């Protein structure tokens, strides 16, 4: 039995206004692609509507393979923004103001001549009042990042004497350790590290940033945030979505590279890192890298024991039948790509020795939810005679990243009555109740930071390489191990049954998804 006690905010605090971006010209590579429509334009549009971007000196120059002119680009972006839930300030008037700032030129990024055309176009915009600060946003498949970086280097666009030049690189940053190292080398020949913004949109989420505030803005939790008090940590990123129209991409990528290599490892590092000396880019990223370096490198046998792969078969989600992964468009009918992964990570350092971090992520699961559960150890003795050991549940702190963003804490309380009986209760803090209003979406926060020159919430070069140092051996070992029998979980379930063996131990279990 569990009783819920609401934790009320001590005062209601309005969300403060966002800071202003530097004037700049944003050049988007891959502007005819999905991410530009779904995330980048809605985020930039909203930033413009709330006054974070100066109307006078802000322009977007999109480029892509698709042949279209500026008017067609504006129409396509309007269509996308008008139906996007992220373009929260959409109105005809707001859009009419914003679209004056949108421009497009088609081009082939593998053609050296294209960068001269681009340079000419940027100079032309500047002569008409565009800013001489340049933010290059690479929103293309990972394999196209190297030619873009080379093109920017050779054309001289990466060096800017009249203002700044920064580059934002979308995930995945390479596809293994070797390609990530090669890409880092390539980028750093052309840009300085402080001008390179490797984006992981999880770091732009308010609740992900709040992990650091919860841990280091309170004196209550940090003293118990270690192996002496914590039994295990469970991190889940579950999605009801399937691979939708991204079958071809997903076939190449899989859940390990798509989610664990970046978003989930970010959650692990923020949960496990030591306190930084200050909240600035170098201090925070240094501590995150230390965690990645301490994650135990597993042998092939350990990988067989401590990882579970899954792939969804047909099932039901929200009362509707959905196809299995192998029936999705652009997916091979005998595909062995994983759509679910569970991994047990161990962190070899003083704070975390012996504390397993169970991490799982999957598509087409029962509910969409991302959360971190900190499971504390049991009390050393059960002293309440009317309560058997099993009645007193160990304390759990749940950091709800999404949806229903907030933090819950479970503990034992005396059940009213003549007997000393302990029952579990829960204190629940809900972001929406405490702060109301609309928090910025992740891409708004990150784009604004990139335009202001703050890389704290972006991934440093050595951080991405250390992420692959953990992930690549798992990919390699999976190639050597017998392939699992796919599909091994039904769409709409909690994932493959086999993942239970990973966590099964005294009083340890995965939390049911969405309950
Ligand atoms: C992306 C992955 O990086 O993150 C997608 O490529 C995934 O497969 C998405 O669906 C999840 O992001 P969010 O913000 O919806 O949790």
């Amino acid at each position: 039995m569990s009783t819920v006690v609401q934790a009320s905010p001590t005062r209601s605090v309005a969300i403060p206004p966002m800071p202003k971006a530097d004037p700049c010209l944003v050049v988007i590579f891959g502007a005819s692609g999905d991410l530009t429509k779904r995330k980048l334009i809605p985020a930039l549009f909203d930033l413009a509507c709330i006054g974070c971007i100066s109307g006078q000196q802000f322009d977007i120059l999109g480029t892509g393979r698709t042949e279209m002119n500026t008017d067609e680009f504006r129409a396509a972006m309007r269509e996308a923004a008008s139906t996007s839930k992220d373009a929260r300030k959409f109105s005809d008037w707001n859009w009419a103001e914003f679209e004056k700032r949108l421009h497009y030129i088609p081009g082939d990024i593998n053609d050296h001549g294209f960068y001269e055309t681009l340079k000419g176009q940027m100079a032309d915009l500047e002569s008409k009042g565009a800013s001489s600060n340049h933010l290059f946003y690479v929103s293309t498949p990972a394999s196209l990042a190297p030619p873009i970086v080379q093109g920017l280097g050779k054309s001289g666009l990466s060096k800017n004497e009249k203002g700044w030049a920064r580059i934002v690189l979308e995930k995945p940053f390479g596809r293994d350790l070797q390609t990530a190292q090669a890409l880092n080398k390539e980028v750093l020949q052309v840009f300085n590290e402080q001008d390179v913004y490797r984006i992981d949109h999880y770091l732009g989420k308010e609740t992900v940033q709040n992990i650091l505030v919860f841990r280091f803005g309170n004196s209550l939790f940090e003293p118990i945030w270690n192996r002496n008090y914590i039994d295990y940590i469970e991190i889940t990123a579950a999605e009801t979505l399937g691979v939708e129209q991204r079958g071809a991409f997903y076939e190449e990528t899989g859940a390990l590279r798509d989610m664990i290599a970046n978003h989930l490892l970010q959650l692990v590092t923020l949960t496990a890192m030591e306190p930084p000396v200050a909240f600035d880019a170098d201090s925070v990223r240094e501590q995150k890298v230390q965690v990645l370096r301490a994650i135990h490198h597993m042998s092939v046998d350990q990988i067989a024991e401590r990882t579970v792969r899954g792939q969804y078969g047909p099932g039901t989600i929200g009362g509707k039948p959905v196809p299995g992964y192998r029936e999705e468009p652009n997916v091979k009918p005998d595909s062995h790509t994983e759509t679910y992964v569970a991994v047990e990570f161990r962190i070899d350092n003083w704070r975390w020795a012996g504390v397993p971090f169970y991490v799982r992520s999957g598509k087409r699961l029962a509910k969409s939810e991302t959360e971190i559960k900190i499971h504390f150890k049991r009390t050393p003795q059960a002293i309440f005679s009317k309560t058997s050991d099993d009645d007193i549940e160990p304390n759990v702190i749940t950091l709800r990243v999404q949806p229903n963003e907030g933090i819950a804490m479970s503990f034992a309380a005396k059940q009213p009555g003549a007997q000393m009986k302990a029952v579990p209760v829960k204190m629940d803090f809900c972001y929406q109740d405490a702060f109301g209003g609309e928090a910025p979406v992740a891409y708004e926060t990150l784009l604004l930071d990139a335009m202001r020159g703050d890389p704290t919430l972006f991934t440093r070069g050595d951080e991405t390489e250390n992420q692959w140092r953990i992930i690549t051996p798992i990919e390699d070992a999976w190639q050597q191990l017998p392939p699992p029998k796919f599909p091994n979980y039904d769409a709409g379930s909690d994932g493959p049954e086999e993942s239970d063996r990973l966590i099964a131990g005294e009083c340890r279990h995965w939390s049911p998804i969405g309950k």
Side-chain angles (χ1 to χ4, degrees):
M1 179 189 37
S2 172
T3 313
V4 179
V5 181
Q6 295 293 340
S8 340
T10 49
R11 62 196 163 107
S12 169
V13 189
I15 297 176
M18 305 253 281
K20 277 203 183 320
D22 292 356
C24 64
L25 168 61
V26 180
V27 178
I28 303 179
F29 293 94
S32 46
D34 190 50
L35 186 82
T36 304
K37 286 190 199 126
R38 281 193 309 112
K39 296 290 176 189
L40 305 185
I41 293 294
L44 290 165
F45 169 73
D46 259 24
L47 287 172
C49 293
I50 58 179
C52 295
I53 288 175
S54 134
Q56 291 312 310
Q57 274 213 307
F58 173 74
D59 292 85
I60 299 171
L61 173 57
T63 172
R65 265 178 316 179
T66 309
E67 286 291 335
M68 61 179 152
N69 59 31
T70 287
D71 285 341
E72 288 162 333
F73 180 60
R74 289 176 180 174
M77 295 304 115
R78 182 187 204 287
E79 164 80 26
S82 65
T83 51
S84 163
K85 65 176 172 24
D86 289 352
R88 295 178 291 194
K89 305 276 182 280
F90 190 87
S91 70
D92 289 343
W93 192 87
N94 281 349
W95 182 263
E97 282 303 298
F98 179 76
E99 76 167 13
K100 294 178 194 156
R101 303 281 155 200
L102 293 183
H103 318 272
Y104 184 85
I105 48 163
D108 175 2
I109 52 168
N110 289 307
D111 168 12
H112 289 313
F114 166 67
Y115 296 89
E116 291 308 317
T117 312
L118 178 65
K119 205 168 166 180
Q121 185 72 23
M122 290 167 69
D124 185 45
L125 287 173
E126 205 177 315
S127 71
K128 294 177 182 147
S131 167
S132 48
N133 292 326
H134 301 149
L135 184 73
F136 297 103
Y137 200 113
V138 181
S139 168
T140 60
S143 58
L144 300 182
I148 294 173
V149 170
Q150 287 159 13
L152 292 175
K154 287 203 183 117
S155 61
L157 280 167
S158 58
K159 301 281 172 252
N160 183 355
E161 280 162 14
K162 291 200 262 165
W164 49 253
R166 299 179 189 139
I167 186 164
V168 182
L169 293 160
E170 261 297 334
K171 79 167 252 284
F173 192 82
R175 57 176 283 111
D176 53 23
L177 178 57
Q178 212 188 347
T179 48
Q181 281 171 330
L183 182 54
N184 267 335
K185 202 164 151 209
E186 198 107 58
V187 175
L188 295 178
Q189 273 166 5
V190 170
F191 287 91
N192 297 321
E193 173 64 44
Q194 74 263 21
D195 294 321
V196 183
Y197 290 71
R198 298 172 194 80
I199 203 163
D200 180 322
H201 78 280
Y202 263 50
L203 291 175
K205 292 182 191 276
E206 291 287 319
T207 41
V208 172
Q209 294 166 52
N210 189 48
I211 299 170
L212 294 187
V213 177
F214 183 74
R215 291 190 54 200
F216 305 128
N218 296 296
S219 55
L220 195 57
F221 307 110
E222 203 41 34
I224 54 168
W225 209 262
N226 56 49
R227 68 176 190 283
N228 298 325
Y229 297 91
I230 294 177
D231 183 28
Y232 66 103
I233 289 178
E234 192 192 350
I235 303 183
T236 300
E239 297 179 90
T240 51
L241 278 183
V243 293
E244 316 266 92
Q245 301 313 313
R246 298 199 307 157
F249 159 80
Y250 209 81
E251 280 285 272
E252 291 285 300
T253 312
L256 184 69
R257 285 199 180 95
D258 187 41
M259 293 294 288
I260 310 278
N262 33 68
H263 306 326
L264 276 284
L265 278 180
Q266 289 293 347
L267 299 181
V268 170
T269 53
L270 294 171
T271 307
M273 69 192 254
E274 295 301 315
V277 286
F279 186 70
D280 60 45
D282 272 333
S283 314
V284 172
R285 298 192 295 181
E286 191 50 43
Q287 293 305 342
K288 284 165 59 191
V289 170
Q290 293 302 327
V291 175
L292 294 171
R293 289 184 53 205
I295 290 185
H296 184 79
H297 288 204
M298 297 183 265
S299 64
V300 175
D301 287 348
Q302 286 171 327
I303 288 169
E305 261 171 43
R306 297 189 195 163
T307 65
V308 172
R309 289 172 272 177
Q311 186 193 78
Y312 61 86
T316 309
I317 299 214
K320 292 201 184 108
V322 294
Y325 176 70
R326 290 176 176 184
E327 285 86 61
E328 301 277 17
N330 302 319
V331 170
K332 288 194 227 83
D334 57 351
S335 170
H336 273 97
T337 302
E338 79 287 353
T339 59
Y340 172 100
V341 179
V343 188
E344 175 188 339
F345 288 120
R346 297 270 176 160
I347 301 180
D348 292 337
N349 66 16
W350 273 53
R351 187 188 282 262
W352 296 114
V355 180
F357 281 64
Y358 299 108
V359 170
R360 64 181 166 167
S361 178
K363 300 237 177 253
R364 287 282 192 230
L365 295 175
K367 283 265 161 58
S368 286
E369 80 180 5
T370 301
E371 60 180 32
I372 301 167
K373 280 188 186 293
I374 317 292
H375 294 264
F376 287 85
K377 292 186 172 169
R378 280 183 176 278
T379 53
Q381 206 192 344
I383 62 167
F384 304 109
S385 56
K386 295 292 174 212
T387 308
S388 75
D389 261 4
D390 288 344
D391 279 339
I392 294 200
E393 291 178 7
N395 302 113
V396 180
I397 293 179
T398 304
L399 306 173
R400 289 193 306 267
V401 174
Q402 61 192 26
N404 189 18
E405 291 79 358
I407 295 173
M409 213 179 318
S410 74
F411 55 93
K414 180 186 173 303
Q415 190 180 48
Q419 294 175 334
M420 264 318 251
K421 181 158 171 64
V423 292
V425 295
K426 198 156 129 199
M427 279 202 308
D428 213 329
F429 156 75
C430 170
Y431 252 80
Q432 186 59 37
D433 294 349
F435 300 109
E438 282 175 340
V441 293
Y443 271 95
E444 285 177 28
T445 303
L446 295 174
L447 278 161
L448 187 56
D449 280 358
M451 291 189 279
R452 293 170 63 231
D454 182 352
T456 311
L457 299 177
F458 293 80
T459 316
R460 209 167 61 183
D462 53 342
E463 199 176 342
T464 50
E465 289 181 18
N466 275 291
Q467 290 175 334
W468 286 117
R469 225 168 244 128
I470 298 160
I471 298 302
T472 302
I474 302 181
E475 289 283 357
D476 292 347
W478 283 355
Q479 301 299 321
Q480 296 173 36
L481 294 166
K485 289 200 175 62
F486 282 165
N488 59 354
Y489 69 98
D490 293 342
S493 70
D494 274 13
E497 273 172 20
E498 207 199 337
S499 57
D500 291 343
R501 69 146 168 88
L502 200 78
I503 199 166
E506 205 185 337
C507 303
R508 288 186 188 156
H509 54 84
W510 291 112
S511 305
I513 290 173
K515 286 180 196 124

